Amino acid sequence: MQKLAIQGGTPLHGEVRISGAKNAALPIMCASLLTSDDFQLTNLPDMHDVATMAKLLQYIGVRISSDAQSTHFNGANLDKLEAPYDMVKTMRAAILVLGPLVSRFGEARVSLPGGCAIGSRPVDLHIKGLQAMGAEIHIEHGYIHATAKRLKGARICFDLVSVTGTENLMMAATLADGISILENAAREPEVVDLANCLIAMGAKITGAGSDIIHIEGVEKLHGAAHDVMPDRIESGTFLVAAAAAGGNIMLTHSRADTFDNVLDKLREAGADITVSGSNINLVMHKRPTAINVRTAPYPAFPTDMQAQFMALNTIAQGSSIVVETIFENRFMHVQELRRLGAQIDVEGNTAVITGCDHLEGATVMATDLRASASLVIAGLVAQGETIIDRIYHLDRGYEQLEAKLSALGAQVRRIR
Ligand code: UD1
Protein backbone atom coordinates (compact mmCIF):
# COMPACT_ATOMS: atom_id res chain seq x y z
CA MET A 1 0.00 0.00 0.00
CA GLN A 2 1.43 3.38 -0.99
CA LYS A 3 2.27 6.03 1.58
CA LEU A 4 3.19 9.68 1.54
CA ALA A 5 6.19 10.97 3.54
CA ILE A 6 6.13 14.67 4.35
CA GLN A 7 8.93 16.62 5.97
CA GLY A 8 7.10 19.53 7.58
CA GLY A 9 8.06 23.11 8.20
CA THR A 10 8.65 24.48 4.69
CA PRO A 11 6.53 27.44 3.55
CA LEU A 12 4.92 27.11 0.11
CA HIS A 13 5.94 29.37 -2.77
CA GLY A 14 5.07 29.36 -6.45
CA GLU A 15 2.33 28.66 -8.92
CA VAL A 16 -0.07 25.75 -9.15
CA ARG A 17 -2.47 24.97 -11.99
CA ILE A 18 -5.89 23.87 -10.76
CA SER A 19 -7.41 20.80 -12.43
CA GLY A 20 -10.94 20.18 -13.64
CA ALA A 21 -13.47 19.54 -10.86
CA LYS A 22 -13.98 15.90 -9.90
CA ASN A 23 -17.54 16.54 -8.77
CA ALA A 24 -18.43 18.23 -12.06
CA ALA A 25 -16.57 15.71 -14.24
CA LEU A 26 -18.34 12.63 -12.82
CA PRO A 27 -21.96 13.69 -13.56
CA ILE A 28 -20.97 15.31 -16.85
CA MET A 29 -19.33 12.07 -18.04
CA CYS A 30 -22.70 10.36 -17.34
CA ALA A 31 -24.40 12.87 -19.65
CA SER A 32 -22.70 10.94 -22.50
CA LEU A 33 -25.32 8.22 -21.84
CA LEU A 34 -28.09 10.60 -22.92
CA THR A 35 -27.11 10.82 -26.60
CA SER A 36 -25.99 8.59 -29.46
CA ASP A 37 -23.87 11.43 -30.86
CA ASP A 38 -20.20 12.21 -30.17
CA PHE A 39 -19.64 14.00 -26.91
CA GLN A 40 -16.36 15.71 -26.07
CA LEU A 41 -14.90 16.91 -22.76
CA THR A 42 -11.86 19.03 -22.02
CA ASN A 43 -10.25 19.76 -18.63
CA LEU A 44 -11.15 16.27 -17.40
CA PRO A 45 -8.94 15.61 -14.34
CA ASP A 46 -6.64 12.58 -14.33
CA MET A 47 -7.60 10.83 -11.07
CA HIS A 48 -8.91 7.45 -9.92
CA ASP A 49 -12.61 8.38 -9.60
CA VAL A 50 -12.64 9.69 -13.17
CA ALA A 51 -10.91 6.48 -14.35
CA THR A 52 -13.47 4.38 -12.43
CA MET A 53 -16.34 6.31 -14.03
CA ALA A 54 -14.75 5.83 -17.48
CA LYS A 55 -14.49 2.08 -16.77
CA LEU A 56 -18.14 1.93 -15.75
CA LEU A 57 -19.27 3.81 -18.88
CA GLN A 58 -17.15 1.48 -21.04
CA TYR A 59 -18.72 -1.52 -19.28
CA ILE A 60 -22.14 -0.12 -20.23
CA GLY A 61 -20.92 0.22 -23.83
CA VAL A 62 -19.77 3.85 -24.21
CA ARG A 63 -16.74 4.13 -26.53
CA ILE A 64 -14.11 6.42 -24.99
CA SER A 65 -10.91 7.72 -26.55
CA SER A 66 -8.55 10.52 -25.60
CA ASP A 67 -6.10 12.81 -27.31
CA ALA A 68 -3.80 15.36 -25.70
CA GLN A 69 -6.59 17.90 -25.16
CA SER A 70 -9.91 16.12 -24.98
CA THR A 71 -11.75 12.93 -24.16
CA HIS A 72 -14.33 11.67 -26.66
CA PHE A 73 -17.37 9.65 -25.68
CA ASN A 74 -19.86 7.85 -27.88
CA GLY A 75 -22.93 6.19 -26.44
CA ALA A 76 -24.51 5.01 -29.72
CA ASN A 77 -24.28 1.29 -28.93
CA LEU A 78 -24.93 0.54 -25.29
CA ASP A 79 -25.39 -3.13 -24.46
CA LYS A 80 -25.44 -3.39 -20.65
CA LEU A 81 -27.85 -1.06 -18.86
CA GLU A 82 -26.30 -1.67 -15.46
CA ALA A 83 -23.75 -0.57 -12.87
CA PRO A 84 -22.32 -3.61 -11.07
CA TYR A 85 -21.60 -3.77 -7.34
CA ASP A 86 -17.81 -3.83 -7.73
CA MET A 87 -17.83 -0.43 -9.40
CA VAL A 88 -20.52 1.26 -7.28
CA LYS A 89 -18.89 0.14 -4.03
CA THR A 90 -15.64 1.93 -4.88
CA MET A 91 -17.38 5.11 -6.03
CA ARG A 92 -20.80 6.22 -4.88
CA ALA A 93 -21.12 8.66 -7.76
CA ALA A 94 -21.73 5.60 -9.99
CA ILE A 95 -25.41 6.08 -8.99
CA LEU A 96 -25.35 8.95 -11.55
CA VAL A 97 -25.81 6.49 -14.44
CA LEU A 98 -29.30 5.60 -13.13
CA GLY A 99 -31.19 8.72 -14.26
CA PRO A 100 -29.70 8.92 -17.78
CA LEU A 101 -30.15 5.18 -18.49
CA VAL A 102 -33.81 5.00 -17.40
CA SER A 103 -34.54 8.20 -19.22
CA ARG A 104 -33.03 7.17 -22.58
CA PHE A 105 -33.61 3.39 -22.54
CA GLY A 106 -36.47 2.90 -20.07
CA GLU A 107 -34.42 0.53 -17.95
CA ALA A 108 -31.43 0.40 -15.59
CA ARG A 109 -29.98 -1.88 -12.92
CA VAL A 110 -27.67 -0.13 -10.50
CA SER A 111 -26.15 -1.65 -7.37
CA LEU A 112 -27.13 0.00 -4.09
CA PRO A 113 -24.07 1.89 -2.85
CA GLY A 114 -24.26 0.58 0.74
CA GLY A 115 -22.53 2.31 3.64
CA CYS A 116 -19.41 4.38 3.31
CA ALA A 117 -16.84 5.72 5.70
CA ILE A 118 -18.41 9.16 6.16
CA GLY A 119 -21.91 7.95 6.93
CA SER A 120 -24.80 5.86 5.72
CA ARG A 121 -25.44 8.07 2.64
CA PRO A 122 -28.69 6.56 1.32
CA VAL A 123 -30.04 7.11 -2.23
CA ASP A 124 -33.74 7.23 -1.30
CA LEU A 125 -34.14 10.73 -2.80
CA HIS A 126 -32.85 9.54 -6.19
CA ILE A 127 -35.32 6.62 -6.10
CA LYS A 128 -38.31 8.68 -4.92
CA GLY A 129 -37.69 11.25 -7.64
CA LEU A 130 -37.62 8.63 -10.39
CA GLN A 131 -40.80 7.05 -8.99
CA ALA A 132 -42.48 10.46 -9.11
CA MET A 133 -41.51 10.54 -12.80
CA GLY A 134 -43.34 7.26 -13.31
CA ALA A 135 -40.48 4.74 -13.04
CA GLU A 136 -41.24 1.34 -11.49
CA ILE A 137 -38.52 0.59 -8.99
CA HIS A 138 -37.74 -2.78 -7.42
CA ILE A 139 -34.87 -3.43 -5.07
CA GLU A 140 -33.69 -6.98 -5.76
CA HIS A 141 -30.48 -8.74 -4.75
CA GLY A 142 -28.88 -5.45 -3.69
CA TYR A 143 -29.69 -3.77 -7.01
CA ILE A 144 -32.06 -0.93 -7.89
CA HIS A 145 -34.00 -2.12 -10.92
CA ALA A 146 -35.81 0.78 -12.59
CA THR A 147 -38.11 0.54 -15.59
CA ALA A 148 -40.35 3.04 -17.39
CA LYS A 149 -41.86 3.23 -20.87
CA ARG A 150 -41.01 6.91 -20.92
CA LEU A 151 -40.42 9.03 -17.84
CA LYS A 152 -43.02 11.75 -17.26
CA GLY A 153 -42.22 15.26 -16.08
CA ALA A 154 -43.04 15.78 -12.39
CA ARG A 155 -42.77 18.27 -9.55
CA ILE A 156 -40.21 16.91 -7.10
CA CYS A 157 -39.45 18.57 -3.78
CA PHE A 158 -36.30 17.20 -2.13
CA ASP A 159 -36.61 16.57 1.65
CA LEU A 160 -32.89 17.24 1.91
CA VAL A 161 -30.55 19.09 -0.41
CA SER A 162 -28.73 16.40 -2.39
CA VAL A 163 -26.07 17.22 -4.97
CA THR A 164 -25.99 13.97 -6.95
CA GLY A 165 -29.74 13.54 -6.32
CA THR A 166 -30.38 16.86 -8.10
CA GLU A 167 -27.97 15.92 -10.90
CA ASN A 168 -29.46 12.45 -11.43
CA LEU A 169 -33.03 13.75 -11.64
CA MET A 170 -32.07 16.74 -13.77
CA MET A 171 -30.48 14.36 -16.31
CA ALA A 172 -33.49 12.03 -16.13
CA ALA A 173 -35.88 14.94 -16.73
CA THR A 174 -34.12 16.12 -19.91
CA LEU A 175 -35.66 13.27 -21.96
CA ALA A 176 -38.92 12.91 -19.97
CA ASP A 177 -42.32 13.68 -21.42
CA GLY A 178 -43.34 17.16 -20.17
CA ILE A 179 -42.09 19.60 -17.58
CA SER A 180 -40.23 18.73 -14.39
CA ILE A 181 -39.70 21.11 -11.50
CA LEU A 182 -37.01 20.27 -8.93
CA GLU A 183 -37.60 22.14 -5.67
CA ASN A 184 -35.10 22.46 -2.82
CA ALA A 185 -32.53 21.56 -5.48
CA ALA A 186 -28.79 21.71 -4.80
CA ARG A 187 -27.25 25.03 -5.89
CA GLU A 188 -23.64 23.82 -6.11
CA PRO A 189 -21.58 25.22 -9.02
CA GLU A 190 -21.09 21.62 -10.25
CA VAL A 191 -24.89 21.37 -10.76
CA VAL A 192 -24.70 24.52 -12.88
CA ASP A 193 -21.76 23.13 -14.88
CA LEU A 194 -23.75 19.96 -15.62
CA ALA A 195 -26.82 22.02 -16.58
CA ASN A 196 -24.69 24.11 -18.98
CA CYS A 197 -23.40 20.94 -20.61
CA LEU A 198 -26.94 19.51 -20.93
CA ILE A 199 -28.17 22.80 -22.41
CA ALA A 200 -25.34 22.60 -24.98
CA MET A 201 -26.73 19.13 -25.82
CA GLY A 202 -30.16 20.62 -26.51
CA ALA A 203 -31.79 20.25 -23.07
CA LYS A 204 -34.27 22.91 -21.95
CA ILE A 205 -33.22 23.82 -18.43
CA THR A 206 -33.64 27.05 -16.48
CA GLY A 207 -32.92 27.92 -12.87
CA ALA A 208 -29.80 25.80 -12.27
CA GLY A 209 -27.86 27.49 -9.47
CA SER A 210 -31.10 28.39 -7.68
CA ASP A 211 -33.15 26.01 -5.54
CA ILE A 212 -35.86 25.62 -8.21
CA ILE A 213 -34.86 24.06 -11.52
CA HIS A 214 -37.28 23.80 -14.48
CA ILE A 215 -36.66 21.17 -17.12
CA GLU A 216 -38.80 20.77 -20.21
CA GLY A 217 -38.21 17.30 -21.61
CA VAL A 218 -37.16 16.96 -25.26
CA GLU A 219 -37.33 13.96 -27.64
CA LYS A 220 -33.60 13.72 -28.17
CA LEU A 221 -30.30 15.27 -27.08
CA HIS A 222 -27.41 15.78 -29.46
CA GLY A 223 -23.62 15.76 -29.03
CA ALA A 224 -21.71 18.67 -27.50
CA ALA A 225 -18.26 19.81 -26.44
CA HIS A 226 -17.84 21.00 -22.87
CA ASP A 227 -14.97 22.32 -20.76
CA VAL A 228 -15.20 21.02 -17.17
CA MET A 229 -15.13 23.80 -14.54
CA PRO A 230 -12.09 24.21 -12.23
CA ASP A 231 -12.05 22.26 -8.97
CA ARG A 232 -13.03 24.58 -6.11
CA ILE A 233 -12.16 21.95 -3.48
CA GLU A 234 -8.67 21.39 -4.91
CA SER A 235 -8.29 25.20 -5.05
CA GLY A 236 -9.37 25.54 -1.43
CA THR A 237 -7.10 22.69 -0.31
CA PHE A 238 -3.97 24.35 -1.75
CA LEU A 239 -4.94 27.72 -0.26
CA VAL A 240 -5.49 26.23 3.20
CA ALA A 241 -2.15 24.39 2.89
CA ALA A 242 -0.38 27.70 2.20
CA ALA A 243 -2.30 29.49 4.94
CA ALA A 244 -1.20 26.79 7.42
CA ALA A 245 2.42 26.37 6.26
CA GLY A 246 2.86 30.06 5.38
CA GLY A 247 4.18 31.41 2.08
CA ASN A 248 2.99 33.00 -1.14
CA ILE A 249 1.19 30.91 -3.78
CA MET A 250 -0.71 31.62 -6.96
CA LEU A 251 -3.49 29.35 -8.20
CA THR A 252 -4.03 29.52 -11.95
CA HIS A 253 -7.07 28.24 -13.93
CA SER A 254 -9.29 28.52 -10.85
CA ARG A 255 -12.65 30.25 -10.27
CA ALA A 256 -12.89 32.36 -7.14
CA ASP A 257 -16.62 33.00 -7.60
CA THR A 258 -17.35 29.30 -6.93
CA PHE A 259 -15.92 29.33 -3.40
CA ASP A 260 -16.28 32.86 -1.99
CA ASN A 261 -17.22 31.50 1.39
CA VAL A 262 -13.93 29.60 1.71
CA LEU A 263 -11.93 32.65 0.62
CA ASP A 264 -13.72 34.77 3.23
CA LYS A 265 -12.81 32.25 5.95
CA LEU A 266 -9.16 32.31 4.87
CA ARG A 267 -9.15 36.11 5.03
CA GLU A 268 -10.67 35.83 8.51
CA ALA A 269 -7.75 33.53 9.41
CA GLY A 270 -5.36 36.31 8.39
CA ALA A 271 -4.45 35.48 4.78
CA ASP A 272 -4.06 38.21 2.13
CA ILE A 273 -5.96 37.05 -0.94
CA THR A 274 -6.17 38.79 -4.30
CA VAL A 275 -8.15 37.57 -7.26
CA SER A 276 -7.34 38.50 -10.83
CA GLY A 277 -9.37 36.68 -13.48
CA SER A 278 -8.71 32.96 -13.03
CA ASN A 279 -5.65 33.58 -10.79
CA ILE A 280 -5.88 33.59 -7.01
CA ASN A 281 -2.91 34.75 -4.94
CA LEU A 282 -2.58 33.95 -1.23
CA VAL A 283 0.08 35.46 1.01
CA MET A 284 0.44 34.38 4.62
CA HIS A 285 3.40 35.27 6.81
CA LYS A 286 1.94 34.90 10.30
CA ARG A 287 0.30 32.33 12.51
CA PRO A 288 -3.33 31.86 11.43
CA THR A 289 -6.17 33.03 13.65
CA ALA A 290 -8.64 30.31 14.69
CA ILE A 291 -11.93 30.45 12.78
CA ASN A 292 -15.31 28.85 13.34
CA VAL A 293 -16.84 26.80 10.56
CA ARG A 294 -20.31 25.34 10.05
CA THR A 295 -20.88 23.20 6.98
CA ALA A 296 -24.11 23.46 4.97
CA PRO A 297 -25.24 23.15 1.35
CA TYR A 298 -23.91 25.72 -1.16
CA PRO A 299 -23.51 28.69 -0.98
CA ALA A 300 -22.63 28.05 2.68
CA PHE A 301 -19.35 26.48 3.77
CA PRO A 302 -18.67 23.14 1.97
CA THR A 303 -18.41 19.90 3.92
CA ASP A 304 -15.62 18.91 1.51
CA MET A 305 -13.43 21.68 3.03
CA GLN A 306 -14.23 20.96 6.68
CA ALA A 307 -11.32 18.59 7.39
CA GLN A 308 -8.75 20.93 5.80
CA PHE A 309 -9.94 23.88 7.94
CA MET A 310 -9.81 21.65 11.01
CA ALA A 311 -6.11 21.04 10.26
CA LEU A 312 -5.55 24.80 9.93
CA ASN A 313 -7.30 25.42 13.26
CA THR A 314 -5.07 22.91 15.09
CA ILE A 315 -2.08 25.29 14.81
CA ALA A 316 -4.05 28.55 14.87
CA GLN A 317 -4.01 31.25 17.54
CA GLY A 318 -7.06 30.67 19.76
CA SER A 319 -9.90 28.17 19.93
CA SER A 320 -12.47 27.35 17.30
CA ILE A 321 -15.65 25.39 16.75
CA VAL A 322 -16.29 23.26 13.68
CA VAL A 323 -19.83 21.98 13.14
CA GLU A 324 -20.57 19.32 10.50
CA THR A 325 -24.23 19.35 9.43
CA ILE A 326 -24.14 17.30 6.20
CA PHE A 327 -22.61 13.92 7.08
CA GLU A 328 -22.98 12.19 10.44
CA ASN A 329 -19.54 10.61 10.57
CA ARG A 330 -17.15 13.08 9.05
CA PHE A 331 -14.70 13.58 11.90
CA MET A 332 -12.49 10.57 11.31
CA HIS A 333 -9.50 12.82 10.72
CA VAL A 334 -9.75 13.99 14.37
CA GLN A 335 -8.19 10.79 15.76
CA GLU A 336 -5.33 11.06 13.30
CA LEU A 337 -4.76 14.79 13.85
CA ARG A 338 -4.54 14.05 17.57
CA ARG A 339 -1.66 11.66 16.81
CA LEU A 340 0.24 14.73 15.57
CA GLY A 341 -0.48 16.55 18.85
CA ALA A 342 -3.67 18.42 17.90
CA GLN A 343 -6.07 19.28 20.73
CA ILE A 344 -9.59 18.50 19.57
CA ASP A 345 -12.70 17.55 21.54
CA VAL A 346 -15.70 16.13 19.75
CA GLU A 347 -19.29 16.08 20.96
CA GLY A 348 -21.77 14.81 18.36
CA ASN A 349 -21.39 16.87 15.20
CA THR A 350 -19.31 19.58 16.91
CA ALA A 351 -15.54 19.72 17.31
CA VAL A 352 -13.81 22.19 19.60
CA ILE A 353 -10.20 22.84 18.63
CA THR A 354 -7.64 24.51 20.86
CA GLY A 355 -4.86 25.83 18.67
CA CYS A 356 -1.37 24.70 19.69
CA ASP A 357 1.89 26.31 18.64
CA HIS A 358 3.21 23.26 16.83
CA LEU A 359 2.36 19.73 15.67
CA GLU A 360 4.82 16.83 15.68
CA GLY A 361 5.29 14.41 12.80
CA ALA A 362 3.90 10.89 13.28
CA THR A 363 2.47 8.01 11.27
CA VAL A 364 -1.19 8.52 10.46
CA MET A 365 -3.79 6.81 8.35
CA ALA A 366 -5.98 8.35 5.65
CA THR A 367 -9.64 7.41 6.09
CA ASP A 368 -11.46 9.23 3.30
CA LEU A 369 -10.64 11.66 0.54
CA ARG A 370 -10.88 15.03 2.29
CA ALA A 371 -9.70 13.62 5.65
CA SER A 372 -6.53 12.62 3.81
CA ALA A 373 -6.11 16.17 2.54
CA SER A 374 -6.30 17.45 6.12
CA LEU A 375 -3.52 15.06 7.14
CA VAL A 376 -1.34 16.33 4.28
CA ILE A 377 -1.89 19.92 5.48
CA ALA A 378 -1.08 18.94 9.06
CA GLY A 379 2.02 17.08 7.82
CA LEU A 380 3.21 20.22 6.00
CA VAL A 381 3.24 22.20 9.25
CA ALA A 382 4.33 19.48 11.69
CA GLN A 383 7.89 19.32 12.96
CA GLY A 384 9.76 16.32 11.54
CA GLU A 385 8.39 13.60 9.31
CA THR A 386 4.75 12.58 8.90
CA ILE A 387 3.94 9.33 7.11
CA ILE A 388 0.42 9.07 5.71
CA ASP A 389 -0.77 5.54 5.06
CA ARG A 390 -3.58 4.47 2.66
CA ILE A 391 -3.18 7.38 0.28
CA TYR A 392 -5.32 5.67 -2.35
CA HIS A 393 -8.05 7.89 -0.90
CA LEU A 394 -6.08 10.96 -2.04
CA ASP A 395 -5.51 9.49 -5.49
CA ARG A 396 -9.28 9.12 -5.92
CA GLY A 397 -9.85 12.86 -5.99
CA TYR A 398 -6.63 14.87 -6.36
CA GLU A 399 -4.64 15.05 -9.60
CA GLN A 400 -0.89 14.76 -8.95
CA LEU A 401 -1.12 16.14 -5.44
CA GLU A 402 2.45 15.41 -4.41
CA ALA A 403 3.90 16.69 -7.70
CA LYS A 404 1.96 19.94 -7.32
CA LEU A 405 3.01 20.33 -3.67
CA SER A 406 6.65 19.58 -4.54
CA ALA A 407 6.54 22.28 -7.20
CA LEU A 408 5.52 24.68 -4.41
CA GLY A 409 8.60 23.68 -2.42
CA ALA A 410 7.01 21.15 -0.06
CA GLN A 411 9.13 18.13 0.87
CA VAL A 412 6.78 15.33 -0.09
CA ARG A 413 7.58 11.89 -1.49
CA ARG A 414 5.56 8.82 -2.28
CA ILE A 415 6.69 5.53 -0.77
CA ARG A 416 5.67 2.73 -3.14
C1 UD1 B 1 -21.82 15.20 -3.20
C2 UD1 B 1 -20.36 15.29 -3.49
C3 UD1 B 1 -19.55 15.15 -2.21
C4 UD1 B 1 -20.03 16.17 -1.18
C5 UD1 B 1 -21.54 16.10 -1.00
C6 UD1 B 1 -22.08 17.21 -0.11
C7 UD1 B 1 -20.20 14.42 -5.74
C8 UD1 B 1 -19.78 13.32 -6.65
N1 UD1 B 1 -20.01 14.23 -4.42
O1 UD1 B 1 -22.08 13.91 -2.65
O2 UD1 B 1 -18.18 15.36 -2.50
O3 UD1 B 1 -19.41 15.89 0.06
O4 UD1 B 1 -22.20 16.21 -2.27
O5 UD1 B 1 -21.73 18.45 -0.62
O6 UD1 B 1 -20.69 15.45 -6.19
N2 UD1 B 1 -28.99 11.98 1.39
C9 UD1 B 1 -30.08 11.21 1.72
N3 UD1 B 1 -30.74 10.56 0.71
C10 UD1 B 1 -30.35 10.64 -0.59
C11 UD1 B 1 -29.24 11.44 -0.91
C12 UD1 B 1 -28.58 12.10 0.11
O7 UD1 B 1 -30.46 11.11 2.89
O8 UD1 B 1 -30.99 10.01 -1.45
C13 UD1 B 1 -28.26 12.70 2.46
C14 UD1 B 1 -26.81 12.24 2.60
O9 UD1 B 1 -26.69 11.10 3.41
C15 UD1 B 1 -26.16 13.47 3.20
C16 UD1 B 1 -26.94 14.62 2.54
O10 UD1 B 1 -28.16 14.06 2.07
O11 UD1 B 1 -26.38 13.50 4.58
C17 UD1 B 1 -26.24 15.30 1.39
O12 UD1 B 1 -25.75 14.31 0.50
P1 UD1 B 1 -25.58 14.56 -1.05
O13 UD1 B 1 -25.61 16.00 -1.37
O14 UD1 B 1 -26.51 13.65 -1.77
O15 UD1 B 1 -24.10 14.02 -1.27
P2 UD1 B 1 -23.58 13.35 -2.59
O16 UD1 B 1 -24.34 13.90 -3.74
O17 UD1 B 1 -23.45 11.89 -2.43
Side-chain angles (χ1 to χ4, degrees):
M1 212 169 278
Q2 300 194 4
K3 300 176 186 178
L4 215 56
I6 305 177
Q7 190 70 37
T10 315
L12 303 183
H13 287 276
E15 217 174 86
V16 58
R17 186 195 163 110
I18 295 305
S19 300
K22 168 179 91 69
N23 286 355
L26 298 176
I28 290 171
M29 289 168 80
C30 294
S32 68
L33 296 170
L34 287 164
T35 177
S36 56
D37 292 350
D38 285 336
F39 178 78
Q40 183 186 323
L41 295 179
T42 45
N43 206 28
L44 206 55
D46 182 9
M47 55 178 62
H48 281 189
D49 273 9
V50 167
T52 305
M53 184 59 90
K55 237 197 236 167
L56 171 59
L57 294 175
Q58 281 171 324
Y59 171 88
I60 292 171
V62 178
R63 278 186 289 124
I64 304 180
S65 60
S66 300
D67 55 41
Q69 296 299 324
S70 12
T71 308
H72 305 263
F73 299 78
N74 187 286
N77 298 305
L78 306 188
D79 43 15
K80 288 198 202 78
L81 305 176
E82 70 163 29
Y85 174 69
D86 279 350
M87 290 180 181
V88 181
K89 86 168 183 224
T90 57
M91 188 188 59
R92 224 185 101 81
I95 190 76
L96 286 163
V97 303
L98 180 63
L101 286 180
V102 192
S103 191
R104 180 163 158 221
F105 298 98
E107 183 164 7
R109 249 183 112 242
V110 175
S111 169
L112 279 166
C116 88
I118 63 173
S120 64
R121 300 182 80 176
V123 288
D124 55 312
L125 302 173
H126 302 239
I127 293 174
K128 269 193 213 158
L130 286 174
Q131 283 171 328
M133 295 169 88
E136 288 268 345
I137 307 236
H138 299 283
I139 309 287
E140 4 173 86
H141 307 294
Y143 277 74
I144 305 164
H145 187 201
T147 48
K149 264 209 176 112
R150 185 178 177 195
L151 292 178
K152 291 188 175 48
R155 179 184 152 272
I156 295 158
C157 183
F158 288 92
D159 296 338
L160 271 174
V161 177
S162 166
V163 177
T164 49
T166 301
E167 293 164 342
N168 225 344
L169 297 182
M170 183 165 71
M171 286 194 277
T174 57
L175 294 176
D177 183 17
I179 293 179
S180 297
I181 301 174
L182 307 183
E183 293 180 355
N184 199 24
R187 291 178 282 170
E188 269 67 2
E190 292 78 10
V191 173
V192 179
D193 206 33
L194 170 64
N196 288 340
C197 174
L198 294 169
I199 291 166
M201 296 169 76
K204 293 190 173 161
I205 301 173
T206 55
S210 78
D211 59 359
I212 302 184
I213 304 178
H214 286 248
I215 306 118
E216 187 183 334
V218 294
E219 286 288 328
K220 225 176 142 188
L221 293 179
H222 51 71
H226 182 81
D227 192 49
V228 176
M229 67 174 281
D231 198 314
R232 63 193 167 103
I233 306 301
E234 186 199 21
S235 301
T237 301
F238 277 105
L239 293 179
V240 175
N248 181 345
I249 69 163
M250 174 78 86
L251 308 186
T252 68
H253 301 82
S254 185
R255 255 188 67 187
D257 63 306
T258 59
F259 62 114
D260 287 332
N261 202 309
V262 168
L263 295 177
D264 287 346
K265 287 284 171 193
L266 284 166
R267 289 190 178 103
E268 211 180 306
D272 281 331
I273 297 177
T274 40
V275 177
S276 164
S278 60
N279 291 348
I280 305 175
N281 177 231
L282 178 141
V283 182
M284 184 77 158
H285 291 304
K286 57 185 179 212
R287 186 174 173 193
T289 306
I291 37 167
N292 297 334
V293 161
R294 182 186 176 85
T295 67
Y298 192 85
F301 189 88
T303 174
D304 285 351
M305 286 301 303
Q306 178 257 107
Q308 298 90 316
F309 271 77
M310 177 101 74
L312 179 74
N313 276 332
T314 62
I315 47 95
Q317 177 80 49
S319 302
S320 54
I321 296 175
V322 171
V323 184
E324 171 59 53
T325 75
I326 309 278
F327 294 114
E328 74 266 30
N329 188 20
R330 210 174 196 181
F331 279 150
M332 283 170 307
H333 40 289
V334 168
Q335 288 277 63
E336 304 302 307
L337 289 170
R338 281 186 191 139
R339 293 179 54 73
L340 301 172
Q343 290 178 33
I344 308 171
D345 292 310
V346 174
E347 180 77 48
N349 69 347
T350 303
V352 178
I353 304 118
T354 309
C356 46
D357 54 18
H358 73 280
L359 298 178
E360 281 172 11
T363 297
V364 291
M365 197 170 73
T367 49
D368 70 64
L369 172 57
R370 307 305 172 185
S372 320
S374 80
L375 298 178
V376 171
I377 293 168
L380 290 171
V381 292
Q383 292 174 358
E385 189 173 63
T386 296
I387 306 277
I388 306 177
D389 203 351
R390 299 201 181 168
I391 53 161
Y392 56 83
H393 289 292
L394 278 174
D395 293 332
R396 283 188 49 201
Y398 286 94
E399 184 174 39
Q400 302 203 337
L401 183 69
E402 78 261 27
K404 289 185 181 187
L405 283 171
S406 299
L408 294 174
Q411 295 183 47
V412 184
R413 74 193 156 84
R414 186 176 286 248
I415 306 171
R416 291 180 192 275

